[in-house]
Structures are given as C-alpha cells and as structure tokens.
Amino acid sequence: MSIGDLSLYANLGSRRWIVPVLGAFKEDGKIRFAQITHRLSLGSESLKRTLDALILMGWVERNTGYGHPLRPEYLLTDQGVKVSKIASDISIALCQLKLEPSHMTRWSYPLLVAIMSGNHRFSDLEAALQAASPRALTQSLKKLVESGLVLRTVENAYPPQTHYALAGRGRMLAKTLVSEN
C-alpha cells in the first residue's frame, strides 16, 4: 500500500459530508447545488464548505457553462470520477452498517486499511500514518472501537501490549475501501 492511498482515504474522511456528496454524483457525474441539498438534507453552508474542499482536492469543478450563478452545477473531474465510485461504495456500506458519516473521523478510513494490511499495534499504525498525530490516532481508534468496527485487546504482560483487529463490521467496510484500488 502506498502513502498516496492513505492520503486519499484521509481526504475522504477530512470532512463529514465528502463521502455522501461524492456519492450523490454517481448517476451522471454532474449535479446542481439544490439537488445535493435536497438529496442529503444538507444545509447550504455545510455543502458550500464541502464543495470548496472538493474543488481544492481536484475532485470536483464548477460547471462554468451552466445557467444561473445562483444555481450552480458541479462536475466531477477525471480523478473525481474514480473517487466518487469509492465514495458511493463507502456510503452504501455505512448505510448497511447503520453508521452516520459523523461516526467516521479523518483517520478512520486510513486506520481501517492499515489494520487490514497487518498493522495491529499502535506503534505500527503510527508508523503507517505518519501524517496523523498520536492524539488523532487515539481518538479515531476509540471511535472505531465504539462503533464496533475495530476490536481492542490488551495483553496482560509487562509492559501491557494493546492490539487492534478488525471486527466483522470493520472488515466489511475495509474491503469496500481496498477493493477499489
């Protein structure tokens, strides 16, 4: 697994609404602002911030040749088309697991992939995700454990050793992430 893959997953988790908004583009690669707000029951300010972030990432662009400036339309870029397929699959998996997008943090997706690839100790995860602070990793792992996606076991040794493994639900979501790359 390359570090580029992990940064893709970190970008997918960087804002609460990135995965659902990208998933909304699935049908034809373009969508109007009003359609997204209606489809996701999303406030216009949250959507504007999410779309601005997606434009900065290079996944979405504004359709300059479309209609009225107060009713903008957005298009997926070539890279955005690939990422929207992943986002759509993640949205479906989250729905099946009965998890809201708010259950996932910026580092949730990279952590699931790293644990699936064999990193089971905190130090291994920290080495795999060098861009994440130890505090961010700790908080993300706690949230994944609370959501039932990751299992945490502590060995009764000196010093105590903590191991992380994917629960069945976590394995399902991690396979969704990895199957697209």
Side-chain angles (χ1 to χ4, degrees):
M1 162 189 338
S2 71
I3 202 69
D5 295 336
L6 294 177
S7 68
L8 168 87
Y9 300 130
N11 284 337
L12 280 171
S14 65
R15 290 192 170 271
R16 175 183 180 191
W17 292 104
I18 282 182
V19 168
V21 167
L22 280 174
F25 280 91
K26 183 181 178 189
E27 285 135 27
D28 61 1
K30 62 183 178 181
I31 196 165
R32 288 184 305 240
F33 190 91
Q35 288 175 309
I36 302 172
T37 57
H38 177 70
R39 194 175 292 174
L40 299 176
S41 300
L42 180 59
S44 61
E45 196 56 39
S46 292
L47 179 56
K48 183 180 177 334
R49 284 192 301 266
T50 301
L51 287 168
D52 288 345
L54 288 168
I55 289 169
L56 283 173
M57 290 175 203
W59 295 346
V60 170
E61 62 188 2
R62 193 170 175 155
N63 186 356
T64 55
Y66 175 79
H68 196 278
L70 295 177
R71 289 181 229 105
E73 181 178 69
Y74 294 88
L75 305 168
L76 290 173
T77 63
D78 291 338
Q79 185 182 13
V81 170
K82 296 172 188 166
V83 177
S84 73
K85 172 70 173 114
I86 297 168
S88 177
D89 292 346
I90 293 170
S91 291
I92 291 167
L94 289 175
C95 185
Q96 290 172 344
L97 295 170
K98 295 181 174 44
L99 291 174
E100 293 292 321
S102 61
H103 283 95
M104 307 309 281
T105 67
R106 176 182 189 132
W107 299 106
S108 295
Y109 302 125
L111 279 168
L112 289 170
V113 172
I115 293 170
M116 185 176 196
S117 67
N119 298 305
H120 299 287
R121 301 213 30 217
F122 186 83
S123 59
D124 298 334
L125 296 170
E126 196 173 27
L129 303 169
Q130 294 176 357
S133 69
R135 183 174 188 268
L137 290 178
T138 301
Q139 289 177 334
S140 294
L141 284 166
K142 281 183 182 179
K143 199 148 188 162
L144 289 171
V145 170
E146 289 170 5
S147 298
L149 299 172
V150 171
L151 301 171
R152 178 180 185 264
T153 56
V154 180
E155 283 185 19
N156 191 13
Y158 185 80
Q161 294 182 0
T162 305
H163 295 272
Y164 296 94
L166 294 177
R169 295 164 43 97
R171 205 170 304 109
M172 178 188 146
L173 185 55
K175 284 180 183 176
T176 301
L177 293 165
V178 175
S179 68
E180 296 304 321
N181 288 331

